[in-house]
Amino acid sequence: MKESIVVMGGGVIGLSCALELQQRGHQVTVLEINRCGGQASGAAAGMLAPYSENVEGSDAFFRFCLESLQLYPEWQAGVKEISGQTFEYTNSGSLYIAYHDADLLALEGRLLWQSQYGSSGSIVEGDALLRLEPHLSTNVRAALHTPEESHLYAPHYVKALEQACRVLGVCIHENLQRVSVDEWESEIRIQSADGRYFNGDRLLVCSGVWAQELSDTFGIQIPVYPIRGQICAYEVEAKPVQHMVFGNQGYLVAKENGTVVCGASEDVAGFDTTVTAKGIERLTRWNKKVFPFLGEREPFHRWAGLRPSTQDGFPLIGAIDSTDRVVFAVGHYRNGILLSPATAKLAADWVEGKREAAGDYHAFLPGRFS
């Protein structure tokens, strides 16, 4: 049955969910207090790397991330076709580096369990490693090579998502400054700062770090907190970095626009997105030990975004009660770009009352903290 769905939040998660729901035949309205993609989404490095980002084991979150990676080839092609826009999507593979034998043992243990989940990875050392990444420091002992991992250029991806939504008829309202939930138990009624009302049959909350402000409204704890992530970029020639390169202190990835992106220095600073000298210095001190040529350069661009972190590290995805009138999709921390297609499908299933489709992902229910 076609319903009217109000989506709070125009970041990568909100836009992805809106696109999925509109494609399923619903009429979707997106409400964004600033500009679409103007917060964490536009600041992201765009890595699609569930094996490298999840190092502990195969929990529900890892499996969700892996599912999303597997959805990406078809998902991103669909976004490009609908929007008529293109964006970088590169299957570069990744290297997770180790300097010492103890670190190498950890990589071997990780490869053991990740191989059971589709990774064709391998441990590479010596000349074989330098053939994969010629400019890598010779102090690097070995690396876990994972060919399946990819990355995209997040700002262009989010713009294409927005355009795809508009093409399909999603109503997008930006620069609303503030929105409040006036009614949700019998119907959905949202009011913006300028006095306008937006009504719908169901509400999907995708407002990232601002979701915590709705705790009193819905009578549940919503422990989503902002973590500031600082990133810098270098101008380069001839693409000297071939893979996404991860270490225990950060990552490096080369983009088609002639830059190498390095991130991310993280700290707790409330809603402050100021870039700090200390945060960037932490990155530059580390990255020149990975690629010595970076020690001769200064970043030409520095920026920061707020990552929506949760108390237990899992996102909040699902309905808040048995009516399925209000569904949450927030708290993706540093994996919002990666998780956009899988979250879109899971959240849309919840909106449509398909609780059985949630399967293994009941660990993400938003009421688990109450």
Side-chain angles (χ1 to χ4, degrees):
M1 181 178 68
K2 182 176 181 179
E3 293 187 301
S4 59
I5 315 296
V6 178
V7 176
M8 288 178 62
V12 66
I13 296 298
L15 292 171
S16 297
C17 291
L19 180 62
E20 177 70 17
L21 286 162
Q22 192 79 13
Q23 287 180 301
R24 294 190 186 193
H26 303 288
Q27 180 54 58
V28 182
T29 299
V30 173
L31 308 180
E32 169 56 45
I33 60 174
N34 296 304
R35 291 295 305 274
C36 286
Q39 302 300 317
S41 302
M47 296 180 298
L48 313 177
Y51 297 104
S52 296
E53 295 272 16
N54 298 273
V55 301
E56 298 300 328
S58 56
D59 59 12
F61 184 66
F62 165 75
R63 293 190 291 275
F64 191 47
C65 290
L66 180 57
E67 176 188 332
S68 207
L69 175 68
Q70 294 166 344
L71 290 171
Y72 245 105
E74 182 178 354
W75 172 263
Q76 60 87 29
V79 173
K80 289 175 178 175
E81 181 179 1
I82 296 168
S83 68
Q85 298 183 0
T86 189
F87 50 86
E88 178 184 2
Y89 170 71
T90 304
N91 179 222
S92 63
S94 66
L95 294 170
Y96 201 108
I97 60 173
Y99 288 93
H100 308 290
D101 288 345
D103 299 325
L104 178 55
L105 285 172
L107 293 185
E108 290 172 343
R110 192 185 311 169
L111 176 60
L112 190 63
W113 70 261
Q114 290 183 351
S115 296
Q116 301 173 33
Y117 289 88
S119 171
S120 63
S122 60
I123 303 293
V124 289
E125 306 177 61
D127 292 342
L129 178 56
L130 290 177
R131 282 194 294 271
L132 285 175
E133 204 62 70
H135 298 282
L136 198 64
S137 169
T138 54
N139 291 325
V140 175
R141 167 83 169 78
L144 172 54
H145 177 216
T146 307
E148 286 76 18
E149 298 192 315
S150 306
H151 65 91
L152 52 74
Y153 189 64
H156 290 172
Y157 170 55
V158 176
K159 288 183 182 299
L161 272 175
E162 179 185 349
Q163 180 61 18
C165 286
R166 293 184 186 276
V167 167
L168 292 184
V170 175
C171 297
I172 298 177
H173 300 271
E174 299 178 287
N175 299 311
L176 295 179
Q177 299 179 38
R178 186 186 72 254
V179 293
S180 58
V181 180
D182 281 9
E183 176 60 47
W184 65 273
E185 292 180 296
S186 59
E187 63 173 328
I188 300 301
R189 187 170 70 248
I190 312 295
Q191 184 177 13
S192 61
D194 59 8
R196 282 183 291 170
Y197 286 94
F198 301 91
N199 298 85
D201 299 308
R202 300 186 189 274
L203 172 66
L204 178 57
V205 178
C206 303
S207 49
V209 294
W210 288 270
Q212 60 175 274
E213 298 174 354
L214 297 172
S215 293
D216 291 340
T217 298
F218 297 117
I220 62 172
Q221 293 184 48
I222 308 172
V224 181
Y225 310 105
I227 302 294
R228 180 171 60 186
Q230 299 187 56
I231 307 175
C232 63
Y234 297 82
E235 291 182 315
V236 296
E237 307 82 31
K239 199 176 180 181
V241 178
Q242 304 302 312
H243 302 76
M244 292 179 291
V245 178
F246 291 87
N248 58 12
Q249 297 183 55
Y251 59 80
L252 290 143
V253 56
K255 298 296 183 180
E256 287 180 351
N257 61 3
T259 64
V260 170
V261 176
C262 179
S265 174
E266 298 182 342
D267 60 358
V268 178
F271 289 86
D272 183 6
T273 56
T274 303
V275 177
T276 67
K278 182 178 180 181
I280 299 300
E281 182 186 359
R282 194 179 307 160
L283 298 175
T284 58
R285 190 168 58 246
W286 169 75
N287 66 38
K288 65 184 179 184
K289 296 178 182 178
V290 182
F291 287 102
F293 74 89
L294 292 177
E296 304 168 2
R297 301 167 184 249
E298 283 292 320
F300 81 99
H301 186 33
R302 303 164 176 83
W303 69 99
L306 299 177
R307 294 168 164 175
S309 177
T310 64
Q311 190 171 316
D312 61 5
F314 283 11
L316 278 62
I317 306 175
I320 64 171
D321 62 20
S322 60
T323 68
D324 300 324
R325 185 170 289 110
V326 177
V327 173
F328 271 69
V330 298
H332 293 73
Y333 191 39
R334 56 189 292 164
N335 290 285
I337 299 292
L338 167 61
L339 286 171
S340 67
T343 299
K345 295 183 183 302
L346 180 58
D349 285 340
W350 274 109
V351 168
E352 293 183 333
K354 300 175 181 176
R355 288 173 167 259
E356 70 283 354
D360 189 32
Y361 304 133
H362 281 87
F364 303 159
L365 285 175
R368 65 185 183 271
F369 300 103
S370 296

